[in-house]
Amino acid sequence: MDKLYKWGMVSLSFLLLFALPLQSSAAYQDHPYHFGFKKSKNGELPSITEEGFKGIVDRHGAIFLGDTSKKELYLTFDNGYENGYTASILDTLLVRKVPAIFFVTGHYVKEQPELLKRMTTEGHLIGNHSWSHPDMTTISNQKVKEELAKVKDAVTQVTGQKEMQYVRPPRGIFSDRTLAVTKEVGYTNVFWSVAYKDWDTKVMRGAKYAYDNVMSQLHPGAVILLHSVSKDNAEALGSIIDEARKQGYEFKSLDQLPKK
């Protein structure tokens, strides 16, 4: 009995020795990160080297910066719900012939079909911001895929747009696993290198505040994140575009980025 007991304990220890690293690896892959970055100042490039997730972002081909060797800018908007300013934003983009991408949720697709049609008709991209805006790191791989597929299918029904290549993780929360799953189904994750707290509609500070925040962070290859619910953003957008062009910047579509 003693020999059997000892053999059993050795066998159990052997199994645990191999099982524990597997559990640790799985936990590491699903460690949640909240996207953040060191902001650009005086035209210097922003950085994510100190955030702890640069290797993951790079490995999965996610976008944080465009081509930093060129004075190019990429406008991106998050559209979780409509607050009355997207039409004005589209007007500004149309008059100035500037391309953009709008990341939409299921709620937005259901509630704003005419604005979606305008986006595609006027040459903009529509990206995926998930159906219900969950923390993707808390749901299964299958659920992640369902969240994305529902948005893509609904956008196709409304606009006829069949391709959807870009996704922005809700709330900027992601993990190694969620980047891998979204990449597996054909998406490139799009983060940002210019942003400010513009989503709180109860704390609007005026167009100049929006303008100053964006212009102070401009740098070559900037991926600019703006929330379309912001009145400040809508009112400042024209001035931002005009001044950026005066400084020698050109606005590009994400589709014009070299593929990783």
Side-chain angles (χ1 to χ4, degrees):
M1 287 294 291
D2 288 344
K3 289 183 179 180
L4 287 174
Y5 176 77
K6 290 179 180 178
W7 174 251
M9 291 302 292
V10 170
S11 300
L12 179 60
S13 299
F14 184 79
L15 287 172
L16 287 173
L17 180 65
F18 284 89
L20 286 173
L22 290 175
Q23 291 173 345
S24 298
S25 175
Y28 173 76
Q29 289 178 348
D30 214 29
H31 173 75
Y33 295 97
H34 290 69
F35 186 80
F37 61 100
K38 182 180 178 181
K39 290 185 177 182
S40 167
K41 290 184 179 180
N42 302 317
E44 296 179 359
L45 294 181
S47 172
I48 57 173
T49 56
E50 299 176 7
E51 308 302 323
F53 51 68
K54 186 178 187 302
I56 296 172
V57 169
D58 290 345
R59 182 165 67 254
H60 294 293
I63 295 171
F64 153 60
L65 294 168
D67 186 344
T68 58
S69 69
K70 299 177 181 178
K71 295 191 77 172
E72 297 176 345
L73 304 174
Y74 303 85
L75 268 179
T76 75
F77 293 88
D78 281 4
N79 290 61
Y81 64 95
E82 182 53 42
N83 197 33
Y85 303 114
T86 303
S88 173
I89 288 169
L90 287 168
D91 291 343
T92 300
L93 297 175
L94 181 63
V95 168
R96 288 168 173 77
K97 297 181 172 58
V98 171
I101 182 168
F102 294 85
F103 289 95
V104 300
T105 62
H107 173 81
Y108 199 90
V109 177
K110 290 187 295 182
E111 296 295 322
Q112 302 298 331
E114 295 307 313
L115 286 173
L116 286 179
K117 291 174 185 176
R118 267 199 73 180
M119 292 170 189
T120 54
T121 299
E122 294 173 8
H124 304 296
L125 299 174
I126 296 179
N128 205 320
H129 202 34
S130 80
W131 186 258
S132 60
H133 209 257
D135 174 351
M136 294 285 210
T137 67
T138 66
I139 60 178
S140 68
N141 291 355
Q142 183 58 37
K143 186 64 177 176
V144 169
K145 294 176 183 179
E146 290 172 4
E147 283 277 335
L148 301 183
K150 287 176 72 175
V151 172
K152 182 179 179 180
D153 292 346
V155 169
T156 298
Q157 291 177 9
V158 172
T159 69
Q161 173 187 299
K162 295 181 180 179
E163 297 298 321
M164 188 172 281
Q165 303 177 47
Y166 304 102
V167 61
R168 174 161 285 157
R171 307 175 223 172
I173 304 174
F174 67 99
S175 68
D176 192 357
R177 176 182 67 87
T178 63
L179 293 191
V181 172
T182 50
K183 184 179 180 181
E184 177 189 328
V185 290
Y187 284 94
T188 297
N189 281 264
V190 180
F191 294 104
W192 53 87
S193 64
V194 172
Y196 75 103
K197 187 178 178 181
D198 63 345
W199 61 88
D200 188 347
T201 58
K202 297 178 182 177
V203 188
M204 293 291 103
R205 295 183 172 89
K208 186 178 185 304
Y209 181 81
Y211 173 89
D212 289 344
N213 267 278
V214 173
M215 296 306 299
S216 65
Q217 297 181 61
L218 279 196
H219 61 84
V223 178
I224 303 170
L225 163 61
L226 296 174
H227 285 82
S228 62
V229 295
S230 168
K231 180 182 179 182
D232 295 352
N233 286 342
E235 293 180 348
L237 183 59
S239 297
I240 290 170
I241 293 170
D242 293 346
E243 180 58 29
R245 282 175 165 166
K246 285 181 184 178
Q247 294 183 19
Y249 285 100
E250 184 178 3
F251 288 87
K252 296 279 190 175
S253 169
L254 285 181
D255 276 350
Q256 295 174 284
L257 269 176
K259 299 300 180 184
K260 293 188 177 182

